[in-house]
């Protein structure tokens, strides 16, 4: 039986499936929240809970499921939920679209982490891993909202690292470039996909940052760019 639990948000996505599989291979109890009626399903093995992570109630529901097994206390949270939308230049982008990027990338990360932190502290410590993006440190035209949102995720993770270091909770961020998923290939069929980073390679980094192997590391922003 698993002796520790990880909560993986976005565990049904292109990266999430690989992250979930990595934890399952290492014997973790994995809890994957998702919205009701979602089209995708996680790989076999994780505990599935219906929860809208854009609401405090949904985040609490997800964390409650993750802490429901006393023999496997919650020791890690992986925040993968987010989204991307391209647009025009800043003067061409409606404020509603700019704010939507903040809402779908930052809000779930904040709410889930906020709900989970007391449990991680009570369990004697643990790890939070957040997903930012290379755009947070190297923006490109037409994605000001996305770049701003991912930079906010990175800043939030750094704040958690500082605030909870004395309580035994670490927080780190990974920064992917273009992830080699079917959705990205469909969106960019002419790109050189060999330069993109496979989800399994990012998942290995996430798994490392969530485990005791990375115990000295907190407040790091780890580039996972592949050759892109």
């Amino acid at each position: 039986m698993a002796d520790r639990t990880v909560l993986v948000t976005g565990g049904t996505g292109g990266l999430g499936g690989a992250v979930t599989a990595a934890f399952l291979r290492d014997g973790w109890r994995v809890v994957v929240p998702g919205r009701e009626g979602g089209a995708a399903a996680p790989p076999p093995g994780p505990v599935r809970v219906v929860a809208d992570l854009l609401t405090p109630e949904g985040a609490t529901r997800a964390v409650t499921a993750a802490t429901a097994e006393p023999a496997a206390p919650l020791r890690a949270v992986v925040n993968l939920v987010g989204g991307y939308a391209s647009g025009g230049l800043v003067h061409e982008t409606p404020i509603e679209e700019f704010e939507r990027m903040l809402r779908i990338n930052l809000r779930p990360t904040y709410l889930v982490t906020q709900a989970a932190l007391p449990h991680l502290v009570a369990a004697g410590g643990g790890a939070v891993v957040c997903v930012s993006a290379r755009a947070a440190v190297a923006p490109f035209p037409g994605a000001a909202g996305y770049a701003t949102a991912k930079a906010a995720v990175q800043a939030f993770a750094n704040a958690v690292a500082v605030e909870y270091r004395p309580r035994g909770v670490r927080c780190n961020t990974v920064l992917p470039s273009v992830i080699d998923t079917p959705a990205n290939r469909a969106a960019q069929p002419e790109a050189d996909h060999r330069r993109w980073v496979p989800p399994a390679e990012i998942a290995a980094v996430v798994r490392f940052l969530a485990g005791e192997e990375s115990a000295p590391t907190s407040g790091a922003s780890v580039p996972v760019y592949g050759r892109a």
Side-chain angles (χ1 to χ4, degrees):
M1 298 222 7
D3 62 358
R4 52 189 172 173
T5 295
V6 58
L7 175 61
V8 180
T9 76
T12 62
L15 175 59
V19 170
T20 297
F23 280 99
L24 288 172
R25 282 194 302 270
D26 283 351
W28 289 63
R29 175 177 176 263
V30 182
V31 175
V32 176
R35 289 177 296 181
E36 189 170 8
V47 177
R48 180 70 184 269
V49 56
V50 175
D52 180 0
L53 302 183
L54 288 170
T55 68
E57 296 80 10
T60 298
R61 186 176 301 114
V63 171
T64 298
T67 57
E69 181 51 67
L74 180 65
R75 299 305 300 267
V77 175
V78 179
N79 291 302
L80 303 180
V81 168
Y84 169 77
S86 60
L89 301 178
V90 170
H91 78 279
E92 301 167 329
T93 302
I95 184 61
E96 293 80 8
E97 179 59 28
F98 183 84
E99 290 179 336
R100 188 176 79 87
M101 286 290 95
L102 287 168
R103 178 177 174 81
I104 65 177
N105 286 287
L106 181 60
R107 186 179 175 91
T109 296
Y110 180 85
L111 289 174
V112 171
T113 304
Q114 180 187 49
L117 280 167
H119 298 278
L120 293 172
V121 171
V128 178
V129 183
C130 300
V131 175
S132 180
R134 182 166 65 177
V137 295
F140 52 90
Y146 176 74
T148 301
K150 288 302 189 181
V153 168
Q154 184 181 15
F156 171 68
N158 290 341
V160 171
V162 169
E163 290 188 0
Y164 289 86
R165 184 180 294 120
R167 296 169 172 83
V169 178
R170 302 177 294 109
C171 189
N172 295 289
T173 312
V174 295
L175 285 72
S177 55
V178 184
I179 306 173
D180 190 2
T181 64
N184 284 339
R185 286 195 175 217
Q188 302 181 55
E190 304 302 322
D192 183 358
H193 304 142
R194 296 171 301 175
R195 298 175 62 87
W196 294 358
V197 58
E201 293 185 2
I202 300 175
V205 177
V206 171
R207 165 62 188 86
F208 170 75
L209 292 173
E212 295 176 357
E213 306 93 328
S214 60
T217 305
S218 190
S221 297
V222 183
V224 283
Y225 297 163
R227 294 186 293 134

